[in-house]
Amino acid sequence: MNLKYTIKKDIEQALIKIGLKNYYKPLIIAKKKTELGNYQVDNLIKIAHKNNIEPYSLYEKIVFLIHKKNIYKKIIFSYPGFMNIFINENFLSEKLEQLFNSSRLGIKHVVSKKTIVVDYSSPNIAKEMHIGHLRSTIIGDVMVRTLEFLGHNVIRANHIGDWGTQFGMLIAYLKYKKLEKKLQENLISLKEIENFYCKSKKKCDLDKNFEEQSRKYVVKLQNGDPNCYSIWKKIVKITMNYNYKIYKKLNVTLKQQHTMGESLYSKMLPDVIKDLKEKKIAIEKNKSTIIFLNEFKNKLGEPMGVVIQKKDKAFLYSTTEIACLKYRYEILHANRIIYYTDSRQYRHLLQIWAIARKANYIPHNLLLEHHTFGMMLSKNKRPFKTRDGDTIKLTELLDEAINRAKDLIYQKKPNLPKKILIKLAKVIGISAVKYSDLSKNRNTNYIFDWDTMLTFEGNTSPYIQYAYTRILSILKKSTIRIHKISEKISLIKNSEIKLAIKILEFEEIILIIEKKGTPHVMCNYLYELATCFSNFYENCSILFSEKIKTRKSRLKLSFLTAKTLKKGLNILGIKTLKKM
Ligand code: ARG
């Protein structure tokens, strides 16, 4: 049930019936203070003035047309020109009833199902994931969960950086140090590989011979040489095995089958280059192949050049990206593609999209979106790094989260069995890191602060998770079994009505995320829902209400709150606990 949308549609139709031709879309807002209504039409004055009508007279006309609908209890005018709407309690109660037995909280699958490719996480091979990959991974995961919940055909694309010149260097280094056998016997860790990678880069800068070797290995690898291929494959495997452990720890839904790395498109590259040349989109200049784009200018104001093949015939990140886009449209039949990668790649993506459109690899109506995100900062507002100024590895961050949660729980409950303590710490610690990130608008930088994310107050995961367990314990204490209740919910007190409306708002939130990919909207919502429940709990006795009918109704309302909290947290990829 989307109350806001229903009201908006009713008013829009009324405006058409009244005969208004040009009007602004009615702007409906939920009111915080509900004494004057649950919803308000915020731009009645604007609509009225545009059509030379007095706001009050327009209000009367609209009300005449819609007041009989069972959703409205009363609609009042408040000066200078607001229309305030009270929702009918019986209507709310009926709608809640529909959620009661629905595992989808009454939300239907979308009518126009789309195939949506979500490109997220996408770490680079031969390196440990660092905190920079956290945001892409968890924000992208909320998006796939949301889209899948709505019934879209979602394709997770983990566009790992598994192709390129770095592998030539690594292979050369492993051979130079005679480490090949050790690698194949699984005796080399990712940490060591990353270390070799750094050393091989340095060696390349100093040693011309080594550089030459590295280049040869890249070509060999690209041509499918079995030995180079098996070394490469092993390096990818070691890295990804490590990453899958992190995904699991993070409760992220990425699995082996979602890996669609850069190497997947490598076979397409020669044909893409050939085709782009034939179409006269790419030209050869100083032995490189370049695409000049008029719509992008370089520093001198000249058309920007995107190199797609270097002098030495090597392909680039951009080349792969063009082929990948072609693949996603032609083979995967995507209608919408969303990239979760940081804002520095914006220009790069725009260029790729422009090239793919020019070459007719994708149609103009294919939806392409870059969902960017800001950086994680430390308290001094500098990029969040280790004391030595290195990037922080994701594993280290998650381990610290679990340790901090463990200390916190131990302080509160020193007698908890160790097994339970660890289990709780894992859920609470990881959730706190995820939630504190997801609850910030993804477009902005945010300050990473252990202390605020691990408190039980405010918009934090411990607060929401605790609210959930508290409701469970209320339901457990009751002698009435929730599914045995046949009576409908009756909403009498203001705090009950507010809670009911909040529960029904869930669909509105899901639809915002579907469009914009902004998990913070869900966090804010869950926080408000938990707060509404708190209010209800303070004002309305649940287990001790005198009338059995009231008790039943309130138990049902509590149950629906818990159900919504759980579903919302599930969309965020955050686990709930039965006890805290
Ligand atoms: N591997 C890249 C990085 O770690 C991100 C790739 C994002 N996806 C893409 N299609 N460009 O920065």
Side-chain angles (χ1 to χ4, degrees):
M1 173 75 222
N2 190 338
L3 286 168
K4 212 187 235 180
Y5 182 78
T6 310
I7 299 169
K8 188 176 166 177
K9 279 286 150 221
D10 281 352
I11 293 185
E12 247 181 71
Q13 273 165 15
L15 292 173
I16 293 169
K17 267 199 191 145
I18 293 165
L20 303 195
K21 291 227 168 52
N22 46 9
Y23 59 85
Y24 301 98
K25 293 248 178 249
L27 190 66
I28 317 295
I29 56 162
K31 287 178 81 75
K32 287 238 155 37
K33 291 205 172 117
T34 50
E35 294 78 20
L36 278 177
N38 309 112
Y39 287 92
Q40 173 169 303
V41 183
D42 220 33
N43 59 347
L44 188 77
I45 302 183
K46 221 170 151 186
I47 300 172
H49 285 172
K50 179 132 190 181
N51 292 280
N52 293 323
I53 314 179
E54 276 306 310
Y56 188 77
S57 148
L58 181 59
Y59 151 79
E60 277 189 316
K61 286 186 170 138
I62 298 173
V63 172
F64 175 75
L65 288 167
I66 67 171
H67 78 281
K68 285 215 178 100
K69 294 191 180 234
N70 58 1
I71 173 170
Y72 305 111
K73 181 177 177 186
K74 72 185 170 188
I75 304 173
I76 58 173
F77 183 84
S78 78
Y79 282 94
F82 296 107
M83 199 165 139
N84 293 336
I85 296 166
F86 291 81
I87 307 287
N88 186 330
E89 295 86 3
N90 291 333
F91 178 86
L92 291 174
S93 145
E94 240 162 67
K95 291 294 157 195
L96 289 178
E97 218 53 50
Q98 292 170 5
L99 308 197
F100 202 72
N101 291 314
S102 152
S103 61
R104 309 182 42 80
L105 285 164
I107 300 174
K108 293 198 188 80
H109 282 122
V110 282
V111 187
S112 54
K113 181 172 163 169
K114 288 201 174 94
T115 295
I116 307 174
V117 172
V118 184
D119 177 325
Y120 73 110
S121 191
S122 309
N124 294 326
I125 294 303
K127 285 185 192 168
E128 277 191 59
M129 270 203 260
H130 56 79
I131 55 163
H133 290 109
L134 178 72
R135 304 207 80 186
S136 169
T137 306
I138 64 176
I139 301 173
D141 207 53
V142 175
M143 193 54 165
V144 296
R145 284 167 185 265
T146 307
L147 297 172
E148 232 157 37
F149 175 66
L150 284 171
H152 289 292
N153 176 26
V154 178
I155 299 174
R156 291 161 173 80
N158 195 356
H159 191 81
I160 59 170
D162 61 355
W163 208 239
T165 47
Q166 71 271 32
F167 292 100
M169 291 190 257
L170 255 173
I171 294 171
Y173 194 82
L174 289 165
K175 284 190 180 281
Y176 161 69
K177 287 275 176 189
K178 303 206 172 15
L179 289 165
E180 234 181 296
K181 190 155 170 269
K182 222 176 145 190
L183 178 83
Q184 295 298 0
E185 285 170 354
N186 291 321
L187 297 172
I188 296 183
S189 68
L190 178 56
K191 232 189 186 66
E192 286 168 294
I193 293 178
E194 184 162 355
N195 190 16
F196 298 155
Y197 176 51
C198 293
K199 285 189 176 150
S200 67
K201 257 202 316 205
K202 278 190 195 133
K203 192 159 173 60
C204 247
D205 292 339
L206 300 172
D207 183 344
K208 274 266 159 290
N209 229 341
F210 184 81
E211 197 197 351
E212 196 48 48
Q213 283 289 323
S214 305
R215 215 176 314 202
K216 271 195 193 140
Y217 285 125
V218 179
V219 178
K220 272 187 150 186
L221 177 65
Q222 289 187 345
N223 292 335
D225 170 84
N227 175 252
C228 288
Y229 185 81
S230 93
I231 298 176
W232 167 80
K233 190 106 193 144
K234 194 78 196 174
I235 297 170
V236 174
K237 191 156 184 204
I238 293 172
T239 316
M240 288 316 285
N241 280 349
Y242 189 86
N243 289 342
Y244 289 120
K245 281 193 197 129
I246 297 187
Y247 293 148
K248 189 153 181 243
K249 212 175 209 176
L250 274 173
N251 194 24
V252 158
T253 57
L254 280 170
K255 300 269 159 23
Q256 201 101 24
Q257 68 266 29
H258 305 128
T259 295
M260 287 194 247
E262 294 176 27
S263 63
L264 177 67
Y265 313 100
S266 64
K267 290 220 164 60
M268 294 169 69
L269 304 183
D271 285 342
V272 165
I273 302 272
K274 193 168 155 244
D275 184 56
L276 288 171
K277 274 186 182 164
E278 273 169 17
K279 287 183 174 148
K280 305 243 175 321
I281 294 168
I283 55 161
E284 234 175 82
K285 197 177 166 187
N286 305 332
K287 292 199 178 142
S288 304
T289 308
I290 308 180
I291 297 175
F292 286 100
L293 294 167
N294 284 322
E295 54 273 60
F296 299 90
K297 301 281 187 246
N298 66 14
K299 278 184 197 137
L300 303 168
E302 297 156 348
M304 183 93 180
V306 180
V307 182
I308 54 170
Q309 190 165 28
K310 287 201 280 193
K311 272 191 197 112
D312 61 5
K313 299 292 159 219
F315 304 112
L316 291 104
Y317 184 52
S318 311
T319 332
T320 300
E321 205 87 82
I322 299 167
C324 165
L325 193 45
K326 190 171 185 283
Y327 180 90
R328 286 175 180 175
Y329 179 68
E330 281 174 11
I331 311 287
L332 304 178
H333 306 294
N335 310 114
R336 181 182 179 196
I337 305 172
I338 312 170
Y339 297 76
Y340 283 90
T341 171
D342 77 59
S343 43
R344 284 168 297 184
Q345 300 207 24
Y346 183 55
R347 208 184 157 86
H348 152 78
L349 285 175
L350 283 184
Q351 290 169 349
I352 300 306
W353 300 346
I355 294 169
R357 286 200 186 101
K358 244 186 210 157
N360 265 332
Y361 293 158
I362 54 167
H364 279 266
N365 62 2
L366 173 64
L367 296 169
L368 295 170
E369 295 165 35
H370 180 196
H371 289 190
T372 58
F373 41 82
M375 283 195 299
M376 285 160 80
L377 305 176
S378 58
K379 275 188 187 162
N380 59 14
K381 299 201 175 151
R382 293 260 179 77
F384 190 46
K385 295 216 160 140
T386 63
R387 274 199 201 135
D388 305 330
D390 296 328
T391 46
I392 299 174
K393 306 278 189 229
L394 200 43
T395 316
E396 287 161 19
L397 186 91
L398 299 182
D399 288 346
E400 179 160 359
I402 295 170
N403 280 332
R404 284 182 183 251
K406 203 154 68 187
D407 291 346
L408 189 82
I409 303 165
Y410 183 76
Q411 276 167 25
K412 294 198 176 191
K413 294 185 173 171
N415 297 326
L416 220 53
K418 197 158 176 219
K419 229 175 148 184
I420 297 179
L421 175 71
I422 291 174
K423 201 177 149 213
L424 281 179
K426 276 188 184 160
V427 175
I428 294 175
I430 300 288
S431 304
V433 170
K434 284 184 86 170
Y435 194 94
S436 89
D437 189 304
L438 296 172
S439 60
K440 315 293 184 310
N441 185 331
R442 66 173 163 77
N443 289 308
T444 51
N445 296 340
Y446 78 95
I447 292 175
F448 187 91
D449 180 3
W450 288 114
D451 299 329
T452 49
M453 73 177 79
L454 275 163
T455 66
F456 283 79
E457 279 146 48
N459 190 6
T460 65
S461 58
Y463 176 77
I464 314 277
Q465 284 167 323
Y466 185 65
Y468 175 77
T469 55
R470 215 165 54 141
I471 302 175
L472 289 197
S473 91
I474 295 168
L475 295 173
K476 214 169 154 196
K477 274 190 201 135
S478 159
T479 48
I480 307 169
R481 288 297 119 211
I482 202 86
H483 288 287
K484 296 252 159 74
I485 304 174
S486 54
E487 292 91 332
K488 284 207 171 124
I489 292 174
S490 65
L491 304 162
I492 298 151
K493 289 210 181 178
N494 205 9
S495 59
E496 288 177 295
I497 298 171
K498 264 179 126 169
L499 179 59
I501 290 180
K502 222 358 121 201
I503 293 172
L504 290 169
E505 220 176 84
F506 187 71
E507 180 169 343
E508 197 184 308
I509 301 301
I510 289 282
L511 295 178
I512 295 176
I513 302 180
E514 179 200 24
K515 241 197 216 150
K516 301 185 178 163
T518 45
H520 75 280
V521 178
M522 179 61 82
C523 298
N524 289 345
Y525 168 75
L526 294 177
Y527 178 55
E528 282 167 16
L529 178 62
T531 314
C532 275
F533 183 83
S534 251
N535 242 323
F536 156 75
Y537 185 75
E538 274 163 33
N539 288 297
C540 306
S541 162
I542 302 173
L543 296 175
F544 301 103
S545 47
E546 264 175 51
K547 289 190 202 144
I548 180 110
K549 186 172 172 269
T550 315
R551 207 184 307 162
K552 285 180 174 171
S553 165
R554 290 179 179 168
L555 277 170
K556 275 177 106 173
L557 205 50
S558 307
F559 172 79
L560 280 179
T561 308
K563 196 168 166 173
T564 312
L565 284 174
K566 186 174 174 131
K567 188 79 223 167
L569 286 172
N570 172 269
I571 290 281
L572 294 175
I574 289 179
K575 290 182 181 166
T576 47
L577 290 157
K578 291 215 169 77
K579 244 188 188 166
M580 260 170 105

